Amino acid sequence: MTKNILGLHLPTDPRWVDLASISLEDILTDHAYCEQKAAASCISLIQRYPSKERLVNELSPIVTEEWGHFRQVLAELQKRNLKLGKQRKDEYVNRLLGFQKKGGHEEDRLLDQLLTMALIEARSCERFKRLSEGLNDEYLCGFYRRFMESEAGHYHLFIELAEDYVYKEKVRKRWREWLEYEAHIIKNLELRGDRIH
Ligand SMILES: [Fe+2]
Ligand SMILES: [Fe+2]
């Protein structure tokens, strides 16, 4: 696979997919909540920036799409007689949120929120690629390939939105900082097969 998919600095440890393949109920549960959170985050962005017309128009259909993803994962669990478990604490996302600028100029805060979304999409896409290539089940490989393609599209959209609202050079500079920070998080997170990140 491509070493640094979507610019990510640190590829996922190849052992992760093996761990994930033996915890299907947990990985599907975690995936389901990731999709829910993606939908909820898009709704929050629309609520926070109602005057940004392009953002509102582009993210509205993504809410529907992410919710559709949640329903697909839920259906997959039920088809296999597996249960949607409880939502876990999302260490990866929490650490990313800790890197966001909270005060200062509104433009900087918007930029960080869009780049956080872009990064979660990029890492999810990378993990889905791993699953689509590494699982020993043709059906599931196709299942994850479709998610991979969809989340890659969302990654591009969040970067485009950032470049639409913020000076391009500033976006690139901050994106490099985010990539570096994200690699640091991945490096320090416990490798577990029961979660997407
Ligand atoms: Fe999704
Ligand atoms: Fe997405």
Side-chain angles (χ1 to χ4, degrees):
M1 79 173 264
T2 324
K3 262 253 149 55
N4 46 359
I5 188 165
L6 305 180
L8 294 171
H9 284 191
L10 196 70
T12 290
D13 187 319
R15 289 172 298 174
W16 174 76
V17 72
D18 300 324
L19 294 172
S21 69
I22 50 173
S23 5
L24 201 59
E25 188 168 37
D26 289 334
I27 202 86
L28 284 169
T29 287
D30 190 57
H31 181 181
Y33 287 114
C34 288
E35 300 294 357
Q36 261 198 28
K37 281 180 278 188
S41 302
C42 288
I43 293 174
S44 299
L45 279 169
I46 293 168
Q47 290 170 337
R48 237 172 275 157
Y49 301 101
S51 64
K52 301 212 180 298
E53 204 176 343
R54 183 175 175 199
L55 181 149
V56 172
N57 289 342
E58 301 262 17
L59 293 189
S60 299
I62 306 294
V63 173
T64 316
E65 201 183 321
E66 301 290 20
W67 193 255
H69 287 172
F70 166 70
R71 295 183 62 189
Q72 283 174 48
V73 181
L74 184 63
E76 202 55 39
L77 275 162
Q78 290 170 349
K79 193 179 92 185
R80 292 165 186 268
N81 274 324
L82 300 172
K83 289 204 164 37
L84 176 68
K86 280 196 173 158
Q87 189 173 1
R88 66 173 173 93
K89 195 169 139 239
D90 196 330
E91 196 58 40
Y92 172 75
V93 170
N94 286 342
R95 288 191 197 187
L96 285 178
L97 293 178
F99 193 63
Q100 281 186 344
K101 284 180 185 151
K102 298 292 188 294
H105 201 274
E106 192 208 277
E107 183 187 86
D108 293 332
R109 278 180 284 140
L110 170 66
L111 176 60
D112 270 3
Q113 287 168 54
L114 291 172
L115 294 185
T116 306
M117 296 294 283
L119 207 37
I120 298 170
E121 296 286 2
R123 182 57 74 183
S124 305
C125 172
E126 193 247 3
R127 295 274 158 118
F128 293 143
K129 184 168 164 55
R130 286 277 175 187
L131 292 169
S132 75
E133 291 172 348
L135 290 177
N136 213 355
D137 175 324
E138 212 177 305
Y139 170 82
L140 275 179
C141 289
F143 177 77
Y144 284 114
R145 199 170 312 115
R146 290 190 292 278
F147 284 104
M148 175 195 91
E149 286 160 5
S150 174
E151 312 309 356
H154 298 163
Y155 153 81
H156 287 292
L157 173 63
F158 283 112
I159 295 286
E160 269 175 38
L161 283 174
E163 288 179 342
D164 209 42
Y165 290 115
V166 181
Y167 183 55
K168 258 190 185 174
E169 264 317 302
K170 194 174 179 178
V171 175
R172 290 206 190 104
K173 184 173 173 283
R174 187 63 178 151
W175 182 238
R176 283 195 294 272
E177 291 170 5
W178 271 104
L179 285 172
E180 204 175 304
Y181 181 72
E182 199 263 354
H184 173 78
I185 296 176
I186 291 290
K187 204 172 160 186
N188 289 290
L189 270 184
E190 185 192 355
L191 187 72
R192 296 179 60 140
D194 59 352
R195 49 197 61 180
I196 294 294
H197 315 105

